[in-house]
Amino acid sequence: GQEAVIPIAGLHFGLNQTDVIGAIRTSTGEKPCTPLTLTSDTSATCTLKADPLIPHTGNLVVGVGTTWSGGQQNTTASGIESRIKEIDPPAEVQLTLAVDIETIPEGSPARATFVESFSNDVATAANIPIWRVQVNSIFAGSIIVVFVILPDPNSLVTATPQQAAAVLAEQAAQPTSVLLTGSTTSGVVGVAVSASVIEAAAAATGTTITTTTTPNYFKQAQPKEYVLANMEDCLFTCRVLCETGDEVPSKDGYPVLPSERPGVCNSECMKHCGFGRQFTQSSPRASVVA
């Protein structure tokens, strides 16, 4: 966990600094406040030093009193009132939309309208307030929008940026999802979220998150049979659509560069169309002699 100074409010702390102690109880152990500083009978501050082994997510427990004052009384280590949580880092997402970037010139009212509509669609799909969607850049290919989902420092129960990003990645694979039926995001043809973000979201929820989408250049290029002529037709169609279409293939979770695109398309399409596929040799047919 990172170093943090946490304000504490309560009643009857007393005025003797040595009578008050505090600690955070987490799933991996307990870490004391170093120090817990008493500022009044109703307030104190707890300083938690940085510790990579103990995340600062848990319940803050305060103890008041000693054996000389009749015994120590502790707050309950449960309940939302004593719960604290580290602020999660923002999560970056890239969405590719089948839109001509020339229709939304930088600095134009059309660009401002697009960003507002896009942010609203993303917030609705991820079930987060719109202020947590921050568009950082837009570039051609058709349009690739790079944005981050910000954490909510005032809530313990809202989705983390990583969880919200994973929701968007899942919805990009569902044609009837909220994301793909949005007024602007209905044009989404590709999504890129780093593997570390998906892993963090899966770890937080204890579930498996599926984000695989089938690109249109695969859907529109299918070999009728795994014979050479059909496979070559499939490869030609797939490569043309992949190299010139709206969908930019991804590598390691991010759209490939223009210079890499032909090679990536060729590799993906050859695999898709059956080249390198293992075939089971059929049994030889018996000859019939009249």
PDB file of all heavy atoms in Angstrom, residues 183-203:
ATOM      1  N   SER A 183     -25.840   5.800 -29.071  1.00  0.00           N
ATOM      2  CA  SER A 183     -26.034   6.704 -30.204  1.00  0.00           C
ATOM      3  C   SER A 183     -24.748   6.929 -30.981  1.00  0.00           C
ATOM      4  O   SER A 183     -24.772   7.090 -32.201  1.00  0.00           O
ATOM      5  CB  SER A 183     -26.586   8.046 -29.707  1.00  0.00           C
ATOM      6  OG  SER A 183     -25.699   8.658 -28.790  1.00  0.00           O
ATOM      7  N   THR A 184     -23.617   6.922 -30.311  1.00  0.00           N
ATOM      8  CA  THR A 184     -22.316   7.093 -30.967  1.00  0.00           C
ATOM      9  C   THR A 184     -21.519   5.799 -30.996  1.00  0.00           C
ATOM     10  O   THR A 184     -20.917   5.447 -32.008  1.00  0.00           O
ATOM     11  CB  THR A 184     -21.493   8.183 -30.257  1.00  0.00           C
ATOM     12  OG1 THR A 184     -22.190   9.429 -30.350  1.00  0.00           O
ATOM     13  CG2 THR A 184     -20.115   8.333 -30.885  1.00  0.00           C
ATOM     14  N   THR A 185     -21.526   5.062 -29.888  1.00  0.00           N
ATOM     15  CA  THR A 185     -20.707   3.851 -29.796  1.00  0.00           C
ATOM     16  C   THR A 185     -21.297   2.661 -30.554  1.00  0.00           C
ATOM     17  O   THR A 185     -20.694   1.591 -30.567  1.00  0.00           O
ATOM     18  CB  THR A 185     -20.474   3.455 -28.329  1.00  0.00           C
ATOM     19  OG1 THR A 185     -21.747   3.326 -27.661  1.00  0.00           O
ATOM     20  CG2 THR A 185     -19.641   4.505 -27.613  1.00  0.00           C
ATOM     21  N   SER A 186     -22.441   2.849 -31.198  1.00  0.00           N
ATOM     22  CA  SER A 186     -22.964   1.769 -32.059  1.00  0.00           C
ATOM     23  C   SER A 186     -22.019   1.519 -33.231  1.00  0.00           C
ATOM     24  O   SER A 186     -22.079   0.475 -33.876  1.00  0.00           O
ATOM     25  CB  SER A 186     -24.356   2.130 -32.579  1.00  0.00           C
ATOM     26  OG  SER A 186     -24.315   3.353 -33.310  1.00  0.00           O
ATOM     27  N   GLY A 187     -21.131   2.493 -33.498  1.00  0.00           N
ATOM     28  CA  GLY A 187     -20.166   2.333 -34.571  1.00  0.00           C
ATOM     29  C   GLY A 187     -18.883   1.660 -34.147  1.00  0.00           C
ATOM     30  O   GLY A 187     -17.938   1.573 -34.940  1.00  0.00           O
ATOM     31  N   VAL A 188     -18.811   1.157 -32.912  1.00  0.00           N
ATOM     32  CA  VAL A 188     -17.592   0.509 -32.426  1.00  0.00           C
ATOM     33  C   VAL A 188     -17.346  -0.786 -33.188  1.00  0.00           C
ATOM     34  O   VAL A 188     -18.233  -1.632 -33.309  1.00  0.00           O
ATOM     35  CB  VAL A 188     -17.684   0.216 -30.908  1.00  0.00           C
ATOM     36  CG1 VAL A 188     -16.569  -0.726 -30.463  1.00  0.00           C
ATOM     37  CG2 VAL A 188     -17.599   1.517 -30.113  1.00  0.00           C
ATOM     38  N   VAL A 189     -16.126  -0.933 -33.702  1.00  0.00           N
ATOM     39  CA  VAL A 189     -15.754  -2.161 -34.424  1.00  0.00           C
ATOM     40  C   VAL A 189     -14.535  -2.826 -33.792  1.00  0.00           C
ATOM     41  O   VAL A 189     -14.095  -3.878 -34.259  1.00  0.00           O
ATOM     42  CB  VAL A 189     -15.479  -1.875 -35.915  1.00  0.00           C
ATOM     43  CG1 VAL A 189     -16.741  -1.436 -36.628  1.00  0.00           C
ATOM     44  CG2 VAL A 189     -14.372  -0.827 -36.076  1.00  0.00           C
ATOM     45  N   GLY A 190     -13.978  -2.236 -32.762  1.00  0.00           N
ATOM     46  CA  GLY A 190     -12.820  -2.840 -32.108  1.00  0.00           C
ATOM     47  C   GLY A 190     -12.576  -2.218 -30.753  1.00  0.00           C
ATOM     48  O   GLY A 190     -12.933  -1.067 -30.501  1.00  0.00           O
ATOM     49  N   VAL A 191     -12.002  -3.002 -29.847  1.00  0.00           N
ATOM     50  CA  VAL A 191     -11.695  -2.522 -28.500  1.00  0.00           C
ATOM     51  C   VAL A 191     -10.316  -3.037 -28.111  1.00  0.00           C
ATOM     52  O   VAL A 191      -9.920  -4.141 -28.480  1.00  0.00           O
ATOM     53  CB  VAL A 191     -12.756  -2.987 -27.480  1.00  0.00           C
ATOM     54  CG1 VAL A 191     -12.834  -4.509 -27.423  1.00  0.00           C
ATOM     55  CG2 VAL A 191     -12.489  -2.427 -26.096  1.00  0.00           C
ATOM     56  N   ALA A 192      -9.581  -2.221 -27.377  1.00  0.00           N
ATOM     57  CA  ALA A 192      -8.266  -2.634 -26.889  1.00  0.00           C
ATOM     58  C   ALA A 192      -8.144  -2.246 -25.420  1.00  0.00           C
ATOM     59  O   ALA A 192      -8.254  -1.078 -25.066  1.00  0.00           O
ATOM     60  CB  ALA A 192      -7.149  -1.980 -27.697  1.00  0.00           C
ATOM     61  N   VAL A 193      -7.983  -3.264 -24.580  1.00  0.00           N
ATOM     62  CA  VAL A 193      -7.770  -3.068 -23.148  1.00  0.00           C
ATOM     63  C   VAL A 193      -6.576  -3.940 -22.765  1.00  0.00           C
ATOM     64  O   VAL A 193      -6.513  -5.104 -23.168  1.00  0.00           O
ATOM     65  CB  VAL A 193      -9.010  -3.478 -22.318  1.00  0.00           C
ATOM     66  CG1 VAL A 193      -8.763  -3.254 -20.840  1.00  0.00           C
ATOM     67  CG2 VAL A 193     -10.238  -2.688 -22.768  1.00  0.00           C
ATOM     68  N   SER A 194      -5.627  -3.400 -22.027  1.00  0.00           N
ATOM     69  CA  SER A 194      -4.429  -4.168 -21.705  1.00  0.00           C
ATOM     70  C   SER A 194      -4.783  -5.388 -20.857  1.00  0.00           C
ATOM     71  O   SER A 194      -5.751  -5.378 -20.092  1.00  0.00           O
ATOM     72  CB  SER A 194      -3.412  -3.303 -20.961  1.00  0.00           C
ATOM     73  OG  SER A 194      -3.872  -2.978 -19.670  1.00  0.00           O
ATOM     74  N   ALA A 195      -3.988  -6.434 -21.001  1.00  0.00           N
ATOM     75  CA  ALA A 195      -4.233  -7.676 -20.268  1.00  0.00           C
ATOM     76  C   ALA A 195      -4.179  -7.459 -18.761  1.00  0.00           C
ATOM     77  O   ALA A 195      -4.920  -8.092 -18.012  1.00  0.00           O
ATOM     78  CB  ALA A 195      -3.208  -8.731 -20.687  1.00  0.00           C
ATOM     79  N   SER A 196      -3.313  -6.545 -18.302  1.00  0.00           N
ATOM     80  CA  SER A 196      -3.197  -6.310 -16.859  1.00  0.00           C
ATOM     81  C   SER A 196      -4.477  -5.736 -16.288  1.00  0.00           C
ATOM     82  O   SER A 196      -4.842  -6.027 -15.144  1.00  0.00           O
ATOM     83  CB  SER A 196      -2.021  -5.367 -16.572  1.00  0.00           C
ATOM     84  OG  SER A 196      -2.210  -4.113 -17.202  1.00  0.00           O
ATOM     85  N   VAL A 197      -5.182  -4.909 -17.077  1.00  0.00           N
ATOM     86  CA  VAL A 197      -6.456  -4.339 -16.622  1.00  0.00           C
ATOM     87  C   VAL A 197      -7.496  -5.436 -16.486  1.00  0.00           C
ATOM     88  O   VAL A 197      -8.231  -5.505 -15.497  1.00  0.00           O
ATOM     89  CB  VAL A 197      -6.933  -3.243 -17.595  1.00  0.00           C
ATOM     90  CG1 VAL A 197      -8.376  -2.844 -17.302  1.00  0.00           C
ATOM     91  CG2 VAL A 197      -6.026  -2.021 -17.495  1.00  0.00           C
ATOM     92  N   ILE A 198      -7.578  -6.321 -17.494  1.00  0.00           N
ATOM     93  CA  ILE A 198      -8.539  -7.427 -17.447  1.00  0.00           C
ATOM     94  C   ILE A 198      -8.234  -8.345 -16.273  1.00  0.00           C
ATOM     95  O   ILE A 198      -9.134  -8.795 -15.557  1.00  0.00           O
ATOM     96  CB  ILE A 198      -8.519  -8.219 -18.764  1.00  0.00           C
ATOM     97  CG1 ILE A 198      -8.909  -7.303 -19.947  1.00  0.00           C
ATOM     98  CG2 ILE A 198      -9.454  -9.418 -18.687  1.00  0.00           C
ATOM     99  CD1 ILE A 198     -10.293  -6.725 -19.860  1.00  0.00           C
ATOM    100  N   GLU A 199      -6.947  -8.637 -16.048  1.00  0.00           N
ATOM    101  CA  GLU A 199      -6.558  -9.509 -14.934  1.00  0.00           C
ATOM    102  C   GLU A 199      -6.922  -8.890 -13.590  1.00  0.00           C
ATOM    103  O   GLU A 199      -7.393  -9.588 -12.687  1.00  0.00           O
ATOM    104  CB  GLU A 199      -5.060  -9.786 -15.002  1.00  0.00           C
ATOM    105  CG  GLU A 199      -4.660 -10.688 -16.172  1.00  0.00           C
ATOM    106  CD  GLU A 199      -3.158 -10.728 -16.382  1.00  0.00           C
ATOM    107  OE1 GLU A 199      -2.433 -10.085 -15.585  1.00  0.00           O
ATOM    108  OE2 GLU A 199      -2.704 -11.395 -17.330  1.00  0.00           O
ATOM    109  N   ALA A 200      -6.720  -7.579 -13.445  1.00  0.00           N
ATOM    110  CA  ALA A 200      -7.064  -6.909 -12.188  1.00  0.00           C
ATOM    111  C   ALA A 200      -8.563  -6.943 -11.945  1.00  0.00           C
ATOM    112  O   ALA A 200      -9.017  -7.162 -10.813  1.00  0.00           O
ATOM    113  CB  ALA A 200      -6.565  -5.462 -12.209  1.00  0.00           C
ATOM    114  N   ALA A 201      -9.347  -6.758 -13.000  1.00  0.00           N
ATOM    115  CA  ALA A 201     -10.802  -6.808 -12.861  1.00  0.00           C
ATOM    116  C   ALA A 201     -11.266  -8.211 -12.499  1.00  0.00           C
ATOM    117  O   ALA A 201     -12.147  -8.393 -11.658  1.00  0.00           O
ATOM    118  CB  ALA A 201     -11.465  -6.349 -14.157  1.00  0.00           C
ATOM    119  N   ALA A 202     -10.676  -9.219 -13.141  1.00  0.00           N
ATOM    120  CA  ALA A 202     -11.047 -10.606 -12.841  1.00  0.00           C
ATOM    121  C   ALA A 202     -10.691 -10.969 -11.404  1.00  0.00           C
ATOM    122  O   ALA A 202     -11.452 -11.645 -10.714  1.00  0.00           O
ATOM    123  CB  ALA A 202     -10.354 -11.552 -13.820  1.00  0.00           C
ATOM    124  N   ALA A 203      -9.531 -10.501 -10.934  1.00  0.00           N
ATOM    125  CA  ALA A 203      -9.111 -10.795  -9.562  1.00  0.00           C
ATOM    126  C   ALA A 203     -10.040 -10.130  -8.559  1.00  0.00           C
ATOM    127  O   ALA A 203     -10.351 -10.701  -7.507  1.00  0.00           O
ATOM    128  CB  ALA A 203      -7.675 -10.312  -9.345  1.00  0.00           C
TER     129      ALA A 203
END
